[in-house]
Amino acid sequence: MLYPVTNEKRTVIDLNGVWGFCLDDGTNEERINNSFIALNRENIAVPASYNDLKDDLRYREHYGWAYYERTFTIPETLRSQRLVLRFDAVTHHALVYINGKLVKEHQGGFLPFEISLDGIVTAGSTCLLQVAVDNRVSHSTLPVGNEDGTAFFGSDNAGVPSVEMAKKWRKKRNLPNFDFFNYAGINRSVRLYSTPEKYIRDVTIVPSVDGADGIVDYTVDTDCDSVFVAITDREGRTVATAEGKEGRIRIENAKLWNPYPEDPYLYTAVIKTESDRYDLRFGIRTVRIDGRRFLINGKPFFFKGFGKHEDSPVHGRGFDLAFDVKDMSLIKWMGANSFRTSHYPYAEEMYSLADEEGIVIIDETPAVGIGAGTAQDPYKTFNIRKHHEDVIRDLIDRDKNHPSVVMWSMANEPDTEHFPESAEEYWTSLYDYTHSLDPQDRPVTFVCCQNNYEVDRATRKMDVVCINRYYGWYNLSGDMDAACYALNIELDFWQTIGKPLIMTEYGADTLPGFHLSQPEMFSEEFQVMYYDRINTEFDKRDFVIGEHPWNFADFNTIQGVYRADGNRKGLLTRDRRPKMAAHYFRKRWTSIPTFGYKP
Ligand code: E8X
């Protein structure tokens, strides 16, 4: 799916701004047909999550539908063009109406969807656009939510009602089976864009290297008759050309895309047909697993970086370009070279920034929370497989051409311990499916939760072993000697598996400004000691080819006894101020090379 652009053939009209809004009060979902603007209308910002935009607890605790509305006019000048309405992300479930008619339903809150307006509206007309957004998560959604309050009732805490009694409790709420606030709404941009009637539907670029030359295998998906491709370099000079809807282009003495702090060189494919034009930036780089090494351009890459979130004050999970630019600056300030889009695909603009800055991405789906302890086998009882395949397909369709994307993560922390056989079947079949969809055939993994790694038979089948471990925090709390002992027992196991291993999460909640002469949990000194002790163990293992502290920054979660103003494991505060651990990693990572740190 191509990102909308304005050029001599195409026009983009921004529909972001202040829209009309109201939360559904549970009385009547018919509201959408009788414009609710007249009813308890509020002003709301698009793009943004609605949860933190009003000082009203209903917005944080809302469970169910919310309604957005605005009008827009299509310029007469677009009369001869194909018109498309595009939503970059609506979280989680959207119903889109134009002039009161349902024109689209979309499930999935982190990937774009489009609506062709052919036969629905005409240029020169003014339209009423209404969007109903459902924020509910369940055992049938990704991310996964718990059903019917089971997470809060039926526990063995004294005085808590039983699950049966809970059924009589009417106030429903979202019970996320994940540790980030369930921000919802029109979280990313909304645009009207036009193309010629005969247009370029999609472009696929598969780069490779032949000696000093770059090879670009391209495919242009179009009904146009003539296709002309010019490859231009960073200075805009044409370095190669080709004709036809698909082909192979050789770029002599090509400049490769290399991760920060090396040069992330980008070319542009200027694609013209008899009626349309699309310019696509791309990089020439190769990605390959070689034994226990992760090779980029044939060199052993070491992942220095983070698990992140799209999370910022006021915006919630809403698209925030200023934070994205700031985060890129901080990633480089710390000497990092990568991040994982935990736990959902991020806004496309962040991937384009990463292409330009040379920051490597592990691209993750919204499949988080697939597990219910020993209560039930999620692979037999959660209705998620079809949707999981849909989000993988849409993720690869959107991000396939980004040089910064080097690996797909199918999920975060699914249960692979309590039902090992069905877990192995689910993940190995989905692994094959993911590989089959990627034209560049990048490595595929999922991120494994702290578990009984000898029982888990799925993690070891992935191209890269990605594990989240909290020795010294959630277990062996505060005892870093015992934590390192236990960590090494596990690393001894992974040593026998012979795969590259990335520690995709490890961390300690830390209150900024909390200092102790003798490090204890929650102090800044403990966070530094925790990381220094564990990194020292990583440095002894050649197959540990990446360290991603959890998390880049503090972030918001549902309230709970373990969350004092959200999750505080950030190296930075939520408003991006460094804790001592950020300075520690800056010192460590600026002295670790991007390539060749491990043989
Ligand atoms: C945590 C992280 C959470 O924020 C992240 O989204 C997924 C969690 C740790 C799991 N991983 O709680 O800070 C630890 C499992 C028990 C050892």
Side-chain angles (χ1 to χ4, degrees), residues 178-180 309 340 342-343 368 412-413 449-451 468-470 473-475 505 509 550-551 555 557 563 567 569:
F178 47 88
D179 184 39
F180 51 93
H309 266 299
R340 170 170 60 118
S342 36
H343 299 302
V368 56
N412 180 72
E413 296 184 341
C449 187
Q450 180 122 29
N451 68 1
N468 299 345
R469 296 298 188 258
Y470 287 84
W473 185 257
Y474 285 113
N475 54 42
E505 283 185 28
D509 283 83
W550 184 260
N551 187 289
F555 57 93
T557 66
R563 295 289 174 259
N567 187 307
K569 293 189 182 72

Side-chain angles (χ1 to χ4, degrees), residues 463-509:
D463 292 326
V464 176
V465 169
C466 291
I467 57 174
N468 299 345
R469 296 298 188 258
Y470 287 84
Y471 297 108
W473 185 257
Y474 285 113
N475 54 42
L476 305 168
S477 305
D479 183 344
M480 293 314 294
D481 293 334
C484 290
Y485 174 67
L487 170 65
N488 276 298
I489 291 172
E490 178 166 1
L491 292 179
D492 289 345
F493 168 80
W494 292 112
Q495 185 107 31
T496 67
I497 298 298
K499 295 263 179 93
L501 183 146
I502 300 173
M503 187 59 79
T504 32
E505 283 185 28
Y506 60 128
D509 283 83

